[in-house]
Each structure stands twice: as C-alpha cells, then as structure tokens.
Amino acid sequence: PASLVGLGVFIYGLVTLDQNSIANEVCGEEAKNITMCPLCEKCTTWPLHQICGYTTISYLFDHPGTVFYAIFMSFWAVTFLEYWKRKNASLAHHWDCMGFQEEDERPRPQFA
C-alpha cells in the first residue's frame, strides 16, 4: 500500500507539473532577460532560465502531495512495526519458543 500511495503522489506531481508557479516564472520569456549574480568570486553571471529544467524536475519531488506522503509514511511505519511485533509474538508462541535465549558462545583460544 505504501508504494501505491507513493506512486500516486508522484503521478499527482506529473499531472500538476504545469501548475508550478515557480517553474513557470523561471522558464518564462521574462526570465530570459534576467541575469543572476555569480555563485562564487571567480564565477561569471548566469541567466535565470538556465535552471529551468532543474526547477521543473524538482517539483516532482517537492510539491504539496509530498507533505501528505511524509505524514502517511510515518503512520504507516508505526502501524507496520506494531503489526510485525504482534506477528512475531504470535509465531513465537505458536512454535513454542517464547523463552528462547540465544546463549553467547565462549571464546575459544584455538580460533583467536
């Protein structure tokens, strides 16, 4: 179920890609005339539209649906872990190994 929700959130990102206002501004005609400051002392200036592809792709992994997915995954992880502990205890009781303690093996000098 968690993978299907993740796939749904990713598809939601693909469907709403054209509604990304930041990417629309960066990739628009007006951004081609905007020159950004250098990123370092030795670097030169760069046009804003140069990061159009990166801005568009970053929306797929950072949109409002990812907040929902993060909250869903936190609840899913807790639920899965509690179910796993319950299943583990049930199998241990069914197989009659509730009191099983793994003993530490004493170190053997011939293998040290």
Side-chain angles (χ1 to χ4, degrees):
S3 61
L4 294 177
V5 173
L7 186 62
V9 168
F10 184 75
I11 291 172
Y12 171 78
L14 285 174
V15 170
T16 61
L17 197 59
D18 59 340
Q19 298 173 3
N20 183 6
S21 60
I22 297 173
N24 291 339
E25 290 176 9
V26 170
C27 299
E29 288 296 321
E30 298 167 356
K32 292 183 179 178
N33 299 329
I34 298 175
T35 304
M36 301 298 291
C37 294
L39 296 174
C40 61
E41 292 180 14
K42 297 177 184 177
C43 301
T44 61
T45 59
W46 54 279
L48 181 61
H49 71 87
Q50 185 177 357
I51 60 168
C52 176
Y54 172 74
T55 306
T56 305
I57 290 175
S58 69
Y59 178 76
L60 293 176
F61 303 102
D62 189 18
H63 58 83
T66 57
V67 175
F68 162 75
Y69 186 63
I71 294 169
F72 171 79
M73 283 306 296
S74 64
F75 285 118
W76 175 258
V78 169
T79 304
F80 182 81
L81 186 60
E82 291 300 320
Y83 171 76
W84 182 255
K85 286 194 284 187
R86 182 179 295 195
K87 184 74 170 173
N88 188 20
S90 173
L91 288 175
H93 178 70
H94 181 70
W95 293 338
D96 195 28
C97 57
M98 288 290 284
F100 178 74
Q101 294 292 329
E102 193 170 328
E103 296 179 16
D104 291 335
E105 188 175 324
R106 293 190 336 246
R108 296 185 282 179
Q110 55 271 50
F111 294 105

